[in-house]
Amino acid sequence: MEGHESAANTGTVGRPRPAVAVRTRRLTGLVLGLVLLLLPAVGPGAVAAAGTPPTGGTVTIPIVADPTFNPWHPNAYVESVFPNRVLFNGLTKPGLDLQPVPDLAERWETSSDGLRWTFYLRRDVKWHDGQPFTAADVAYTFNEIVLKPELGSPRRADFAAVERVEVVNDYTVRFVLSRPFAALAAYLAYNAGILPRHRFEGKDPWNLTPFNKEKPVGTGPFKIESYVPGSHVSLVANDRYFLGRPYLDRLVFKILPDANTQVAQTLAGELDIMIVDNPAAVARFERSSRIKVVPVDQVNYYFIAVNHDRPLFQDVRVRQAMLMAIDRQAIINSILRGYGRIATGPISPVLKAYYDPNVTAYSYDPEGAKHLLAQAGWVDRDGDGVLDKDGRPLEFVLDVGRTKDLQPISELVQQYLVAVGMRVRLEMNEWNAYIQKAIVRRDYDATVAWWITPPDPDVFNYFHSSGAGKGANVPNYRDPEVDRLLEAGRVTSNVSERVRIYRDFQKVVAERLPYLFLWYPKEIQVRSRTLGGLVELGLRDQMHYVHQWYRMR
C-alpha cells in the first residue's frame, strides 16, 4: 500500500447527468511525474568505479508493526514488505524503469505459444545457512506453497495461470502455464521471494514459527541478527551475497506504529530513511540541514472498499453517490498538501501506455449525490436527517486501520457522507486487528485503504471474482464482464491488444465502481544526507538495491 511530488490536479466535476448521474471527462495536459531511468540496474561495481564507497555503519528504517518473515504468508502485509525484500530474492526484481530485470534468474525465455517460461538461475547463490540455492527451491515455493489451493495463499490468484513449476536441472526451472500470462516476469518481481525447501519441506508453511516469526533464512544481502517483537528487527550484512557484501554492516527496522514518533525520531537522527505519510510534516524536514525530501511516483492508489456482500452497496447508484459526495480535491489540497491527484481507476498514470484519462469521472457534487440516492429510493421520510428506505436508515461502519494519515482522511470522508444524509460510524482499529477484521475475515461494511500493485496493468487479483471472499479482492466484487476483460488481458502478450483491453477495463470499473477510487498519491521519502548509493525508486523497491547503500563520512 503508498506514492509523490506536487500533484497535477485532475479535477473537474460537475452535476451528473440525470440518467446515470455521472459524466465522462477528458483530461488533458496531465503532468506525469515519473522519470523513467532507462538504465540497467546499478550495482556496487558501478558505484566503486566512481570511487569505492566507505564500508560499515547502520541504517535504521521504521515499520509499523511486527513483521512475518515469509512473503507468501496470509499475514504478511505492509509491515512485512521491507524486511522480506531484504531477506529474500525473487527470480526477477523491478529495474530502475520499473520493468522486471534479473535477480535470482540470470535470464529467461518464453515459448512461441507463451505457455512455457524457462528461467536460468544464478549458480553462485547460497542461503543464509550456507546451503546452495537451486531450482528445487523455486519449484517448492510455487508448487507446495503458492499454488496449493488448500493453503489459500493471498497471492495465489496472481499466479492462477501457472499450472506447475518444473525442475529442468539444478539451475533451470520451467513455469508451465494453462494460458499465456504476459505479466509473469513483472509479478515475479513483486513480493515473490523464493523460500528454502530444506527449511519448509514437510512443515506447515503458515505455522512454521521458528522461521516465519523468529529466524528466517533467505538469500538476500542481509540476514537476521535478532528480532524483538514490538521493538526492532536487526539484520547484519551477508558476506556471501551473490552481488557482493553490502557496504553497510547492519540494517535495523524499528517497529514504530505511531507516525508522529517516526517523524520525531527521523528529525532527531534516530532513523535514516522513511516515507512521510503526513505531508503536513514535510516543512519540518525541509528546515533540517540533515534531511533531504524526495518525492517519488509510484504505482498505487487509495480507495474506499465497500463490502459488496452487504445489500446496501449492491446498488451502483449508492456507490456513485458516495464518490460524488466526497470532495477528493479538498482532501488532496488540505491533508495531502497537494501530493496526489484524483484517481479514476486502479491503473496509475505512471503506466503511461495503459492509463486511460477518458473514463467516467465523478465531480464533487453533494446535491447530485442526494438526487442519485433519491433515485435509488433513499429519502429522509421521518425528518431525522438520515436517509431511509423500507423503514431502515442508510447507515454503516467505516473501518480504518491506525496508520499513516488515514484517521483524519476518514474523518473527512465521514463528514462528507453524513452531509448527504448517511449515518456513518467511524471505527478505528489497531493495525494488526484491522488486517484480521477487514482484510482476512471481511467483517466490515466499508473501509479506507490503498493498494500498491506491480508495475503492470494486470490487476486480476484485486478485481477478479476468484479473489472475492479471500485474497486481495477485498470488496468481494463479482462481475462477469470485469472477469472477462481481466482474463483477456492475461492471455495476450501483444502490447497494443493489452492497451485496448485494459482501457476497456478502466471504462467499466469507472462506471461500476468495484472500489471507490480516491487518489493517486506521491511517496514523500525523507533521507539522511549521509546516505549514499540510493536509486530513485519508491522505498519498498529501494529495498532490492539496499546492498549498494553506504554511509558517507
Side-chain angles (χ1 to χ4, degrees):
M1 312 180 187
E2 285 81 75
H4 305 163
E5 176 168 279
S6 181
N9 177 0
T10 62
T12 51
V13 219
R15 182 177 294 279
R17 292 180 180 172
V20 293
V22 294
R23 71 189 176 101
T24 300
R25 173 168 52 88
R26 177 178 296 275
L27 304 179
T28 58
L30 297 179
V31 179
L32 301 180
L34 179 68
V35 178
L36 299 180
L37 302 177
L38 301 177
L39 297 171
V42 179
V47 176
T52 302
T55 58
T58 298
V59 164
T60 305
I61 305 171
I63 55 176
V64 297
D66 290 321
T68 299
F69 305 120
N70 181 337
W72 305 99
H73 197 286
N75 292 338
Y77 284 92
V78 61
E79 71 285 345
S80 305
V81 167
F82 288 95
N84 281 341
R85 288 191 182 184
V86 175
L87 289 164
F88 304 99
N89 295 92
L91 295 184
T92 63
K93 65 183 179 183
L96 300 188
D97 61 354
L98 294 179
Q99 296 306 300
V101 298
D103 198 7
L104 289 174
E106 291 182 316
R107 60 189 173 88
W108 57 90
E109 59 191 25
T110 311
S111 62
S112 57
D113 61 4
L115 297 178
R116 303 284 187 279
W117 286 59
T118 303
F119 291 85
Y120 300 93
L121 309 180
R122 298 183 67 107
R123 294 168 180 262
D124 56 352
V125 180
K126 300 281 190 187
W127 293 100
H128 293 157
D129 59 7
Q131 296 294 310
F133 159 77
T134 70
D137 297 306
V138 181
Y140 180 83
T141 298
F142 282 90
N143 295 337
E144 301 301 325
I145 296 180
V146 182
L147 302 177
K148 214 161 189 174
E150 59 268 35
L151 289 179
S153 171
R155 294 205 59 210
R156 180 168 175 264
D158 280 345
F159 297 95
V162 179
E163 286 188 344
R164 63 186 182 278
V165 177
E166 297 176 343
V167 175
V168 178
N169 59 47
D170 279 353
Y171 297 102
T172 308
V173 292
R174 180 176 297 130
F175 281 63
V176 179
L177 311 185
S178 59
R179 49 180 165 75
F181 179 25
L184 178 60
Y187 272 70
L188 290 172
Y190 185 78
N191 297 338
I194 302 300
L195 296 171
R197 184 186 66 164
H198 64 283
R199 291 295 182 119
F200 277 86
E201 198 163 34
K203 313 278 193 342
D204 178 347
W206 297 164
N207 292 311
L208 189 56
T209 301
F211 188 101
N212 297 332
K213 299 300 290 184
E214 295 172 5
K215 195 172 180 60
V217 173
T219 56
F222 288 84
K223 56 187 182 181
I224 195 84
E225 180 183 49
S226 63
Y227 169 37
V228 180
S231 174
H232 68 275
V233 180
S234 179
L235 307 180
V236 292
N238 175 10
D239 293 332
R240 294 184 290 212
Y241 187 53
F242 57 85
L243 292 179
R245 184 193 187 281
Y247 296 120
L248 296 170
D249 284 341
R250 187 170 281 98
L251 201 59
V252 174
F253 294 99
K254 287 184 76 170
I255 299 164
L256 298 170
D258 182 67
N260 292 326
T261 303
Q262 293 185 14
V263 169
Q265 292 199 7
T266 302
L267 288 167
E270 296 172 26
L271 300 172
D272 296 290
I273 184 168
M274 64 169 284
I275 299 169
V276 179
D277 292 326
N278 178 9
V282 171
R284 298 174 65 189
F285 290 108
E286 289 175 338
R287 290 194 292 270
S288 170
S289 61
R290 295 187 303 99
I291 302 292
K292 183 179 180 182
V293 179
V294 182
V296 181
D297 283 296
Q298 278 205 313
V299 185
N300 68 321
Y301 58 97
Y302 278 72
F303 56 81
I304 297 174
V306 294
N307 191 336
H308 289 259
D309 288 345
R310 306 282 199 265
L312 170 63
F313 301 116
Q314 291 171 358
D315 189 330
V316 68
R317 293 171 295 187
V318 172
R319 305 197 296 272
Q320 292 170 340
M322 288 173 68
L323 201 49
M324 292 164 58
I326 300 168
D327 190 345
R328 291 173 287 172
Q329 193 58 52
I331 293 175
I332 292 169
N333 292 344
S334 58
I335 296 179
L336 303 181
R337 306 294 175 102
Y339 286 94
R341 57 187 292 179
I342 291 176
T344 53
I347 296 178
S348 165
V350 171
L351 301 175
K352 295 179 182 179
Y354 296 97
Y355 173 68
D356 186 352
N358 305 311
V359 298
T360 300
Y362 300 85
S363 303
Y364 172 54
D365 185 357
E367 292 305 314
K370 292 177 184 175
H371 180 68
L372 193 55
L373 289 167
Q375 286 185 351
W378 292 99
V379 178
D380 182 9
R381 293 175 176 82
D382 56 10
D384 68 349
V386 179
L387 303 176
D388 54 83
K389 179 181 178 181
D390 300 329
R392 294 185 306 171
L394 198 169
E395 62 181 355
F396 60 89
V397 175
L398 184 64
D399 273 293
V400 184
R402 247 180 242 288
T403 186
K404 308 169 58 151
D405 46 16
L406 288 190
Q407 180 166 349
I409 288 169
S410 299
E411 289 169 350
L412 264 182
V413 167
Q414 178 191 35
Q415 291 173 27
Y416 284 127
L417 296 177
V418 167
V420 297
M422 300 182 181
R423 179 182 290 155
V424 181
R425 182 165 62 84
L426 203 62
E427 188 165 307
M428 299 302 302
N429 303 268
E430 182 273 329
W431 181 250
N432 286 332
Y434 166 77
I435 291 294
Q436 289 301 314
K437 182 175 190 283
I439 309 300
V440 177
R441 298 199 308 272
R442 302 289 207 268
D443 180 19
Y444 79 101
D445 295 326
T447 184
V448 179
W450 73 99
W451 284 126
I452 295 178
T453 61
D456 189 275
D458 185 349
V459 289
F460 186 101
N461 198 23
Y462 309 91
F463 288 83
H464 195 272
S465 298
S466 61
K470 57 188 177 184
N473 183 350
V474 172
N476 299 329
Y477 186 69
R478 301 168 179 87
D479 185 327
E481 187 172 6
V482 168
D483 288 354
R484 180 184 64 77
L485 289 166
L486 291 171
E487 291 162 7
R490 283 194 153 185
V491 300
T492 178
S493 298
N494 181 287
V495 173
S496 297
E497 182 67 6
R498 295 190 87 207
V499 167
R500 183 190 65 74
I501 292 168
Y502 285 111
R503 290 195 169 210
D504 287 348
F505 165 76
Q506 289 170 80
K507 288 181 172 63
V508 171
V509 298
E511 287 280 352
R512 301 178 188 176
L513 298 179
Y515 296 75
L516 311 187
F517 305 106
L518 295 178
W519 66 86
Y520 305 114
K522 279 183 173 290
E523 178 178 289
I524 310 170
Q525 269 181 39
V526 293
R527 309 170 178 173
S528 164
R529 290 186 181 276
T530 64
L531 269 182
L534 285 78
V535 295
E536 298 308 312
L537 291 173
L539 188 52
R540 290 174 184 77
D541 290 333
Q542 284 267 11
M543 292 296 105
H544 294 288
Y545 297 89
V546 71
H547 60 283
Q548 64 190 47
W549 292 10
Y550 60 90
R551 178 75 80 185
M552 290 181 275
R553 300 195 177 101

